[in-house]
Amino acid sequence: AQTVTQSQPEMSVQEAETVTLSCTYDTSESDYYLFWYKQPPSRQMILVIRQEAYKQQNATENRFSVNFQKAAKSFSLKISDSQLGDAAMYFCAYRTWGLTFGEGTQLTVNP
Amino acid sequence: EAEVAQSPRYKITEKSQAVAFWCDPISGHATLYWYRQILGQGPELLVQFQDESVVDDSQLPKDRFSAERLKGVDSTLKIQPAELGDSAMYLCASSLAASGSPGQETQYFGPGTRLLVL
C-alpha cells in the first residue's frame, strides 16, 4: 500500500519570504503522479501543483515549485514570495487511481 | 467555472440515525470519488466510481456505508446507522476520466458535507 508522510504538522513564514513544505512517500509503482493540494479554512480543496513521476524536470506554477527526488521518494513544495492568502492546510498526495493524502501541514503566513 | 456541488453543507444527527449526502460532479466527468476527512487529518478515499460502476470501495465500511451512482452522474453516500466516530467532513471529487493513465486526470473537489454525530 502507498503511504504519504508529511513530517511538519505546522509551519510559519513571514510575508514575502520563502517556505518549503516536506513530503515523502512509499510506493513500489514506477508510474504515478504526485500533487500538492491547498485547503483554506472552511473552503474547498484546490490543486496547487502536480508532478508526473516519469518527468525529471521539477514542476513550477508561478510562485509554487517542487523538488522531486524520485530515488529518495521525496516531493517538497516551495512557496516563494509568500502571501497572506497562502495561509492554509497543505496536503501532499500520491495517485495511481484514487488519491492517497498525507496528514497535512498547516501553513501560517505572518504579516 | 463549473464546480462540484454537494449538499447538505452541514448535517447534525444522532447516533443510530440514517444520513445521506449528495454530490453532483462537474458535467462530463466520468469519475467520481467520495473521501472522508477526519478533523486534522488528510482525506481518505472511501469509494470511486467510473460512470455508474464502482472501481474501488475497499476502504468503505460496508456494514453501514453505501454509495450509488445510478445513472453515472450524481451520487449519494449513505450511512446507516451513524456512529459517533463517523463525525467528519465528507468530500466529493470528480475527474474527467480514469481510463488509460488515471493519475493524469486532475480531481476537482466539492465544498464537502460536515457531519456531526451526537
Side-chain angles (χ1 to χ4, degrees), chain B residues 87-110:
Chain B
S87 295
M89 175 78 86
Y90 290 83
L91 298 169
C92 180
S94 69
S95 63
L96 195 58
S99 59
S101 183
Q104 189 174 4
E105 301 293 340
T106 296
Q107 291 187 26
Y108 296 88
F109 285 81

Side-chain angles (χ1 to χ4, degrees), chain A residues 4 37 45 91-94 99-103, chain B residues 35 42-44 109:
Chain A
V4 178
Y37 277 86
M45 190 100 62
F91 291 99
C92 176
Y94 164 102
L99 287 164
T100 299
F101 286 87
E103 294 294 314
Chain B
Y35 291 87
E44 173 193 27
F109 285 81

Side-chain angles (χ1 to χ4, degrees), chain B residues 4 21-34 47-55 60 66-78 92-98 108:
Chain B
V4 176
F21 313 131
W22 177 79
C23 172
D24 191 13
I26 293 172
S27 178
H29 279 197
T31 311
L32 185 146
Y33 312 81
W34 282 102
V47 61
Q48 176 184 340
F49 289 92
Q50 174 68 17
D51 298 312
E52 67 277 7
S53 300
V54 173
V55 173
L60 189 70
S66 64
E68 61 183 16
R69 194 185 184 197
L70 294 177
K71 297 183 179 180
V73 181
D74 58 337
S75 175
T76 302
L77 177 68
K78 297 179 181 177
C92 180
S94 69
S95 63
L96 195 58
Y108 296 88

Side-chain angles (χ1 to χ4, degrees), chain A residues 65-102:
Chain A
S65 62
V66 300
N67 183 4
F68 174 47
Q69 301 291 327
K70 190 173 184 179
K73 296 180 181 176
S74 171
F75 182 59
S76 61
L77 173 70
K78 185 172 78 171
I79 306 174
S80 304
D81 186 24
S82 297
Q83 300 176 2
L84 295 177
D86 294 333
M89 182 73 87
Y90 285 81
F91 291 99
C92 176
Y94 164 102
R95 184 179 184 190
T96 48
W97 286 89
L99 287 164
T100 299
F101 286 87

Side-chain angles (χ1 to χ4, degrees), chain A residues 8 10-11 26 33 61 64 66 70 87 100 108 110:
Chain A
Q8 306 154 316
E10 299 177 349
M11 291 283 286
D26 187 24
Y33 295 78
E61 288 287 342
F64 299 87
V66 300
K70 190 173 184 179
T100 299
T108 301
N110 300 310

